[in-house]
Structures are given as C-alpha cells and as structure tokens.
Amino acid sequence: MLHWDHAKYMNHSFHPTCIDTVFEFILAERNIYPGEQLTCDYGIVGVDDYLYLSQEWDEMAREAFKYFNSVEQLLKHLIKKEYAEEVKAVAAGLLSLPSILTLFVDKSEEDGEEDEA
C-alpha cells in the first residue's frame, strides 16, 4: 500500500505497478521488485478517461485487494478513519469494492449549475 502523499515519487505508465482506490490510497497492483519504478496511470490524458478506463482500473484494484490481508501493510495506519472499516470489509471479501468512477466529476454538469445560479 502506498499513501497518496507519496505520489510525488510516482511516474506515469499505461501498464502501472500501482492502482488508485476510492479510499484515497494507492495499492501495489503486483509485486514491485527492487530497482523497479512505482508507476500509476494518471488517466488525465483525456477529459473522459474515468469513463473509459474505470472498468479496467476497478478490475486491477479488485485483484490487488485480494492480497491486501496477506501482505504486511506498513502504512495501514495512514488509512483515513472514515474508510478503515470499509477497507477491512473489502479486503476480507465481505463488501464489493466501490468503483473508482464514483470519484468522477462531470465538469459539464458543474458548469451548468454555475450558469443556473
């Protein structure tokens, strides 16, 4: 697990070693070996990347969560309290992982709201 505050050490890749979660932390998508870069798919190449890539990203996160409890999570204490119980339940397979798409903000809807005000 890698907390978002350390993201400045991330590089972009369309084949990332780490994946974002809805819980405001990043998980290793697979084993990362010494000398390998920490990478994530920023997904800010196009305006609608969340819409097009969310299913792929969700599947990567679901796979990573399967190993969450079997690998020592040295930064587990950094998980926000508001997410702690849900993270435990998802990692134990008791809850489905919420889609990363829940974080998507449709800017056109926001713009429309401002116009109405």
Side-chain angles (χ1 to χ4, degrees):
M1 177 180 76
L2 183 73
H3 195 270
W4 186 249
D5 286 348
H6 302 289
K8 63 184 173 187
Y9 300 109
M10 289 281 194
N11 287 316
H12 178 267
S13 174
F14 289 115
H15 305 286
T17 57
C18 301
I19 189 72
D20 287 313
T21 72
V22 297
F23 304 120
E24 298 183 26
F25 64 80
I26 298 171
L27 284 176
E29 196 272 325
R30 60 173 177 76
N31 286 335
I32 301 171
Y33 298 98
E36 257 191 297
Q37 291 186 16
L38 299 177
T39 60
C40 63
D41 187 347
Y42 296 165
I44 310 297
V45 176
V47 173
D48 295 331
D49 283 350
Y50 270 88
L51 298 175
Y52 298 118
L53 298 171
S54 62
Q55 289 181 346
E56 178 183 340
W57 292 344
D58 287 345
E59 181 57 31
M60 290 171 69
R62 277 192 293 275
E63 282 299 309
F65 258 102
K66 289 179 182 179
Y67 304 98
F68 188 88
N69 289 329
S70 63
V71 177
E72 185 179 10
Q73 302 295 339
L74 299 175
L75 301 177
K76 194 173 186 176
H77 67 280
L78 295 175
I79 295 173
K80 288 186 174 184
K81 289 179 184 175
E82 65 197 80
Y83 300 126
E85 291 304 314
E86 191 173 4
V87 168
K88 283 182 194 175
V90 169
L94 302 174
L95 277 179
S96 296
L97 177 69
S99 174
I100 195 76
L101 193 56
T102 60
L103 302 179
F104 177 75
V105 176
D106 187 343
K107 295 294 185 184
S108 65
E109 286 183 16
E110 280 187 350
D111 293 341
E113 290 174 10
E114 289 175 9
D115 292 341
E116 292 175 12

